């Protein structure tokens, strides 16, 4: 339950950002670039002595994030969103492809250069109790990165910690509180303050609001938008909540079984989804007005086992409009005339796909 410690404003979510961001902004140097990145694991099919197989958690993903912009990764659980974010931050070794941050290669090298780069690339999780040490006052935890890197005197560190507490909408006395004395929303604000203390250029937010009450979710989303405008920080935002994704994103990538199947601005993607999988996800977004309610599109079955990814289009086992060719021919992620990108043989930019099964 929230206490009166927070000063953040209304529970309503701010209007959407300007949707001018594109996956690759013309004339802008991308801050973060992932080029055909892959993460494959060798696994046993059954027990210790079963035949080995390759699990392709991420399989040829490319994207760019511009400074001060938000790219969201969406898709069902297990589609590879979180693994993609960890690869992009150099927290997991790549099986292939390359990541560059501000023009420099990113890799899980764990050396001095990696630690320096990590100051500018931060990660925020949904589990705030797991992210914070319950034995240490939150103020100390916020300024701990400054102590570790020897930045500033103790007085300067405390002043910076206090300034960030204020920036995330918490009162000064929270500095001396312990994590268990705070609500979930307040702890997420503390985690954000700690992520910001080293002035990062990009924060990967992995389901940052999933564990919060609905009313608090809106406050934290408003805070993330406000912090982006104040500090020009970019976000790689992971969420299964498409309503929130639409509000916070400048670009959205939809993932299915380790690959991006659709990629574009939120306005284009939510207004006219092209891929049958995206159409089903978008149709499931709740709308307040019954007059604007969409016909819910249902997908049959669960996603296939990632160890046995179907041939051709990986989605063909669940796609209501699959053709025989979809079983053998893998659709590439290709750009439509308006720059929107889709991996589907039937996508031509008019969303004129045959109707899918309606609930
Ligand atoms: Fe469906 Fe075929 Fe398009 Fe895949 S390529 S999404 S199976 S129509």
């Amino acid at each position: 339950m929230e206490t009166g410690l927070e000063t953040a404003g209304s529970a309503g979510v701010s209007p959407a950002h300007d949707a001018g961001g594109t996956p690759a902004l013309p004339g802008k140097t991308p801050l973060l670039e992932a080029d055909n990145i892959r993460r494959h694991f060798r696994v046993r099919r059954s027990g210790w002595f079963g035949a080995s197989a390759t699990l392709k958690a991420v399989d040829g993903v490319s994207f760019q994030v511009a400074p001060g912009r938000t790219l969201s990764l969406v898709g069902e659980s297990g589609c590879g969103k979180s693994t993609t974010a960890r690869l992009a931050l150099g927290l997991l070794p790549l099986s292939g492809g390359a990541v560059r941050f501000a023009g420099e290669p990113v890799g899980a090298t764990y050396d001095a250069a990696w630690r320096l780069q990590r100051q500018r690339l931060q990660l925020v999780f949904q589990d705030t109790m797991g992210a914070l040490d319950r034995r240490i006052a939150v103020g100390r935890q916020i300024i701990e990165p400054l102590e570790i890197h020897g930045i500033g005197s103790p007085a300067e560190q405390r002043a910076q910690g206090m300034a960030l507490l204020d920036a995330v909408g918490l009162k000064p006395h929270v500095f001396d509180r312990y994590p268990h004395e705070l609500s979930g929303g307040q702890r997420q604000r503390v985690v954000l303050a700690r992520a910001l203390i080293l002035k990062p250029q990009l924060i990967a937010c992995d389901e940052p609001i999933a564990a919060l009450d609905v009313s608090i979710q809106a406050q934290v989303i408003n805070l993330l938008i406000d912090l982006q405008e104040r500090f020009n920080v970019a976000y790689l935002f992971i969420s299964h909540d498409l309503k929130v994704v639409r509000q916070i994103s400048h670009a959205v990538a939809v993932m299915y079984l380790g690959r991006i199947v659709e990629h574009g601005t939120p306005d284009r993607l939510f207004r006219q989804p092209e891929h049958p999988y995206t159409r089903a996800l978008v149709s499931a977004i709740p709308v307040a007005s019954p007059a604007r309610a969409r016909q819910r599109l249902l997908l049959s079955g669960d996603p296939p086992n990632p160890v046995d990814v179907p041939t051709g289009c990986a989605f063909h086992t669940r796609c209501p409009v699959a053709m025989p060719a979809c079983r053998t021919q893998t659709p590439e992620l290709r750009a439509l005339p308006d720059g929107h990108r889709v991996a589907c043989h039937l996508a031509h930019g008019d969303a004129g796909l045959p109707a899918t099964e309606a609930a």
Side-chain angles (χ1 to χ4, degrees), residues 107-128:
T109 52
Y110 309 112
D111 56 11
W114 176 85
R115 280 191 289 278
L116 265 181
Q117 201 170 51
R118 291 285 300 124
Q119 292 183 27
R120 298 187 290 160
L121 287 164
Q122 296 288 322
L123 178 62
V124 168
F125 302 99
Q126 74 167 266
D127 177 13
T128 53

Side-chain angles (χ1 to χ4, degrees), residues 275-276 313 315-316 319 321-323 326 331 343-346 353:
H275 196 284
C313 174
F315 188 59
H316 83 253
C319 180
V321 292
M323 311 172 292
C326 300
C344 173
H345 297 309
L346 289 176
L353 291 165

Side-chain angles (χ1 to χ4, degrees), residues 33-343:
E33 292 178 89
D35 183 12
N36 198 24
I37 60 173
R38 296 184 293 282
R39 176 64 183 173
H40 296 175
F41 299 92
R42 296 298 293 170
V43 295
R44 296 269 173 210
R45 284 187 183 277
S46 57
W48 287 103
F49 303 107
S52 67
T54 303
L55 189 157
K56 297 178 179 177
V58 175
D59 192 31
V61 165
S62 301
F63 59 80
Q64 298 180 346
V65 186
R69 296 295 180 119
T70 300
L71 169 68
S72 291
L73 302 178
V74 304
E76 289 163 297
S77 190
C79 69
K81 331 183 270 293
S82 296
T83 306
T84 298
R86 279 158 181 74
L87 291 171
L89 265 60
L91 298 175
L92 270 179
L94 293 159
S95 303
V99 179
R100 280 178 296 283
F101 177 70
E104 299 290 323
V106 175
T109 52
Y110 309 112
D111 56 11
W114 176 85
R115 280 191 289 278
L116 265 181
Q117 201 170 51
R118 291 285 300 124
Q119 292 183 27
R120 298 187 290 160
L121 287 164
Q122 296 288 322
L123 178 62
V124 168
F125 302 99
Q126 74 167 266
D127 177 13
T128 53
M129 275 311 262
L132 297 170
D133 189 329
R134 60 190 69 207
R135 300 162 302 177
I136 301 175
V138 296
R140 282 292 310 280
Q141 298 192 59
I142 290 172
I143 64 174
E144 191 178 32
L146 297 176
E147 295 171 350
I148 290 170
H149 293 283
I151 300 170
S153 66
E156 289 166 340
Q157 292 168 357
R158 186 176 175 90
Q160 279 194 50
M162 287 294 187
L164 273 173
L165 267 188
D166 182 56
V168 299
L170 292 172
K171 304 271 194 203
H173 65 264
V174 173
F175 195 91
D176 297 313
R177 296 287 181 91
Y178 288 82
H180 69 272
E181 297 179 287
L182 306 181
S183 68
Q186 290 165 340
R187 284 197 299 272
Q188 195 55 281
R189 289 168 190 268
V190 168
V191 168
L192 281 169
R194 191 176 62 175
L196 286 164
I197 195 87
L198 291 174
K199 301 184 173 68
Q201 290 168 282
L202 183 138
I203 301 176
C205 304
D206 193 349
E207 300 277 10
I209 59 166
L212 304 177
D213 292 345
V214 173
S215 60
I216 307 304
Q217 288 182 357
Q219 291 182 14
V220 173
I221 290 300
N222 279 341
L223 175 64
L224 283 167
I225 293 170
D226 177 53
L227 293 173
Q228 182 167 66
E229 284 164 4
R230 290 175 68 175
F231 299 110
N232 196 37
V233 64
Y235 297 134
L236 187 56
F237 189 82
I238 295 169
S239 177
H240 63 272
D241 186 335
L242 295 190
K243 214 167 173 188
V244 165
V245 163
R246 184 170 195 169
Q247 284 157 345
I248 200 170
S249 308
H250 298 96
V252 182
V254 181
M255 291 189 68
Y256 187 77
L257 283 179
R259 288 176 162 233
I260 292 176
V261 296
E262 187 155 2
H263 191 175
T265 63
D267 179 52
R268 172 68 169 83
L269 188 135
F270 289 100
R271 180 174 40 82
Q272 192 181 338
E274 299 282 347
H275 196 284
Y277 179 59
T278 313
R279 294 172 70 198
L281 294 180
V282 170
S283 79
I285 301 174
V287 288
S289 161
R292 292 176 51 227
R294 304 178 193 85
Q295 196 176 34
R296 176 84 185 265
L297 306 178
L298 284 187
L299 295 176
S300 57
D302 296 319
N305 185 335
V307 174
D308 291 308
V309 175
T311 57
C313 174
F315 188 59
H316 83 253
T317 54
R318 303 172 77 197
C319 180
V321 292
M323 311 172 292
C326 300
R327 297 195 183 94
T328 53
Q329 295 173 19
T330 306
E332 295 301 321
L333 188 67
R334 62 192 168 84
L336 300 178
D338 62 357
H340 193 73
R341 296 195 291 160
V342 193

